[in-house]
Amino acid sequence: MFRAGGNRVSGAAGHDAGSILMDPVAHIRAGAETGTPWRFRLEELAWRDLVDGLKQEALPFVGLWCDGTDVHVLFLPHGNQPLAATLALEDGRYPALSPARAVSSLYERMVFDLYGAEAMWARDVRPLVDHDVWTSTTPLASMPGPAGGHKGMIAYQPSDAFLAAEGLAAGIGPATGRTGAPMHVALTLAGETIVGAETVTGYAHRGMALRWRNSRVDEACRLSGRVAAGCSAAHQVAFCQAIETACGEQIGHEVSQLRVVLLELERCVQHLYTLAALAQEAGAVLVASRCMWFREQLLKEAAPVIGSRLLMDHCVPGGVSLRSASDVGDLCTRLAELGEENYSALSELWRGYPGLSARLAGIGILDRAALERLGLDGPVARAAGGDSDCRRDMRMYDGLWRFTAGRHGGSVDDRTAVLLDEVGESLRMLADLAPRLGLTAGGRIDLSYQDGEGIGMAEGPWGRVLYWVRLLNGRVEHVFLRDPSYPALMAFETVLPGQNVADVALIKASLGVNAAAQDG
């Protein structure tokens, strides 16, 4: 599909390149106030000044989205405190943020595919999820476009940089017969060394934005738990927090502690699953089987109390939904005992297994510059010297979270070491939670769904999961989701050149690339 006008200029007055740039935070706060205290409305020239200012300032970028009328950008300047800027679309266009924040390119491409809103001066204007095979183009626009022209295979549109790479064309993905996430990796090879790499996504697009629009709150919560396999609890905790904030309500302390149990148990089982996949790919079959065995023991113990093995649909707006909430304290004790019996042996096996560390060392290296440029967080950042964990600023983790040293090498080996350490840390938190729980069943508050908007977040297995939700007439009018899959995808493309093609699967698994979560 041809996307026109990537470098068009707006009909507004020209930008004064010699203007004095204000601090981005102050610049946003100088905008017009909205009904939300942390969101401000800017005019187009002020938005363009903001983009220029962001090229010089390291203001943490969260995401960019559209609601059909306005485009919004969200930052977290201080811990978990949000700050957003809003700009009205002018003739369906807005100044791109990608010249200042590389990862925003993925959001801009998604916005165009869904709404037809064009990012002027964007770094990349290729389709992201719409490959001209949908029943209508720009399906969320006020007037959707006609059906796509292709009814067969998706046509790959490489970037100019990829086309310039010299070598043998190759690819890994759905059309090559391998199992795994539905994402195609286009490669240019010189022998077995990767020269260029780009991904083709959209195979797993499920229309989540449209399905959330004007949905019931309970149905929207159910959908949030199905965005990313293995991260259901994190998504539903963040969604529920956003709903509760929009309603001006705050859950009780024990309910928040029950949610921490869900989050930390999910972190354990998802990290063990990832470690098993990495060990299997590296040829360490014994280590992989021990990881999966330990994971199975944790889930076998938890399922009768939590209510399922998937840890899905147990966090609901206003509370939790557990089969036996009063037994969670005893469950935490048993999970901690399982950790004492098995974690140390697993850790020693991983670190001492012949050739495993050597196989993972030195590949897929991400440095601090890449972390900052792409906005990476979670264990991927903590394995490369980054200090990013939103649990430090969450009241639900008071007295539980403590700083744990990460790694600095940024390789696959460093990332696996961080994942392994975090399993032990989560088991330690569950042990600390045991005496705090079980006095009551937690309780649940009844929410009055008044018009408003709110933000909620959780530290998922791969980093910060954030939801922005707007309520209208008792229903969910609009949802924006920030999942770690966006920066992970860009990191994956960034790190592949120079790597051996045999290491692609290892690198991908160690970064937490999730095609389904990214496709939406």
Side-chain angles (χ1 to χ4, degrees):
M1 178 170 59
F2 175 67
R3 182 171 299 184
N7 291 314
R8 273 188 227 161
V9 294
S10 168
H15 180 242
D16 179 8
S19 61
I20 299 176
L21 298 178
M22 189 185 301
D23 169 70
V25 173
H27 191 79
I28 294 173
R29 293 190 179 279
E33 294 184 356
T34 67
T36 303
W38 41 262
R39 184 168 64 83
F40 299 84
R41 183 172 290 276
L42 302 182
E43 299 296 330
E44 182 180 338
L45 290 180
W47 180 281
R48 291 164 66 180
D49 284 337
L50 172 63
V51 175
D52 287 341
L54 289 171
K55 295 176 183 177
Q56 310 298 326
E57 298 289 338
L59 182 61
F61 168 81
V62 175
L64 179 143
W65 71 97
C66 180
D67 59 17
T69 303
D70 298 320
V71 63
H72 312 271
V73 60
L74 178 65
F75 303 94
L76 292 175
H78 306 294
N80 294 336
Q81 298 301 312
L83 179 66
T86 296
L87 174 70
L89 295 172
E90 181 180 340
D91 297 326
R93 296 181 294 171
Y94 64 98
L97 206 73
S98 51
R101 291 292 184 273
V103 72
S104 68
S105 174
L106 294 175
Y107 294 95
E108 292 166 357
R109 294 164 65 188
M110 180 70 84
V111 164
F112 186 90
D113 285 353
L114 298 183
Y115 292 93
E118 180 187 0
M120 299 178 292
W121 306 289
R123 291 291 177 87
D124 192 345
V125 297
R126 295 174 298 150
L128 184 67
V129 292
D130 180 6
H131 298 287
D132 214 15
V133 298
W134 292 352
T135 55
S136 64
T137 55
T138 63
L140 298 187
S142 57
M143 296 182 63
H150 294 292
K151 299 306 177 187
M153 294 182 63
I154 288 177
Y156 166 52
Q157 298 184 25
S159 68
D160 293 340
F162 186 79
L163 288 172
E166 297 183 0
L168 177 67
I172 302 171
T176 57
R178 295 189 62 176
T179 60
M183 180 180 74
H184 185 75
V185 185
L187 302 171
T188 301
L189 303 177
E192 295 185 354
T193 301
I194 300 171
V195 178
E198 286 185 344
T199 57
V200 185
T201 59
Y203 298 94
H205 182 69
R206 295 158 289 168
M208 298 296 285
L210 180 59
R211 296 169 70 183
W212 269 317
R213 182 188 279 186
N214 297 321
S215 63
R216 299 193 314 270
V217 173
D218 58 342
E219 178 61 21
C221 182
R222 181 180 179 277
L223 284 174
S224 70
R226 286 148 180 83
V227 171
C231 302
S232 293
H235 278 262
Q236 291 187 314
V237 167
F239 176 86
C240 291
Q241 287 179 348
I243 292 293
E244 291 150 7
T245 301
C247 295
E249 298 285 355
Q250 187 171 339
I251 60 171
H253 176 69
E254 186 161 4
V255 172
S256 70
Q257 301 291 271
L258 291 171
R259 289 180 176 180
V260 171
V261 172
L262 292 173
L263 290 169
E264 297 309 315
L265 177 58
E266 179 175 76
R267 193 181 324 278
C268 285
V269 298
Q270 181 62 21
H271 281 358
L272 288 169
Y273 182 87
T274 302
L275 289 166
L278 287 163
Q280 182 76 29
E281 188 67 30
V285 179
L286 174 61
V287 181
S289 65
R290 290 296 297 178
C291 289
M292 290 302 287
W293 180 86
F294 187 22
R295 178 180 184 270
E296 176 63 25
Q297 298 308 303
L298 294 174
L299 288 174
K300 182 179 178 180
E301 195 70 53
V305 176
I306 300 298
S308 75
R309 293 169 51 88
L310 296 178
L311 306 181
M312 185 184 294
D313 300 332
H314 299 300
C315 182
V316 295
V320 293
S321 177
L322 305 176
R323 178 174 294 170
S324 182
S326 59
D327 292 331
V328 173
D330 292 337
L331 170 63
C332 289
T333 298
R334 295 195 297 273
L335 294 175
E337 290 172 351
L338 276 173
E340 291 178 1
E341 294 169 5
N342 299 284
Y343 174 74
S344 294
L346 175 62
S347 181
E348 291 174 5
L349 176 64
W350 184 283
R351 293 184 169 92
Y353 194 82
L356 179 56
S357 181
R359 175 69 180 91
L360 304 177
I363 62 174
I365 295 176
L366 279 169
D367 56 22
R368 286 293 297 275
L371 296 182
E372 296 171 1
R373 181 171 61 85
L374 301 177
L376 285 159
D377 61 2
V380 175
R382 293 191 282 272
D387 180 12
S388 56
D389 192 327
C390 69
R391 290 176 291 179
R392 75 164 75 241
D393 298 312
M394 300 180 73
R395 281 186 292 181
M396 62 198 299
Y397 279 93
D398 285 352
L400 290 172
W401 185 89
R402 65 187 182 205
F403 175 75
T404 51
R407 302 276 285 239
H408 292 82
S411 69
V412 173
D413 186 44
D414 292 296
R415 291 191 281 276
T416 57
V418 168
L419 295 181
L420 192 59
D421 288 345
E422 290 191 0
V423 171
E425 181 66 5
S426 292
L427 290 168
R428 192 270 306 166
M429 288 190 197
L430 292 173
D432 290 348
L433 279 165
R436 306 184 185 190
L437 298 170
L439 300 178
T440 70
R444 180 177 176 182
I445 58 175
D446 293 325
L447 300 176
S448 176
Y449 298 130
Q450 302 176 357
D451 295 355
E453 61 187 76
I455 278 183
M457 66 188 76
E459 181 74 14
W462 290 106
R464 188 191 307 268
V465 175
L466 181 145
Y467 276 78
W468 170 83
V469 175
R470 179 187 288 160
L471 298 177
L472 181 67
N473 299 325
R475 298 176 78 90
V476 175
E477 183 192 31
H478 195 85
V479 170
F480 164 73
L481 161 65
R482 187 274 182 188
D483 184 88
S485 57
Y486 270 56
L489 183 68
M490 294 204 79
F492 181 57
E493 292 184 344
T494 298
V495 79
L496 281 183
Q499 304 297 309
N500 190 292
V501 68
D503 297 333
V504 170
L506 282 170
I507 295 170
K508 181 181 175 184
S510 74
L511 292 171
V513 177
N514 189 314
Q518 190 274 319
D519 285 345

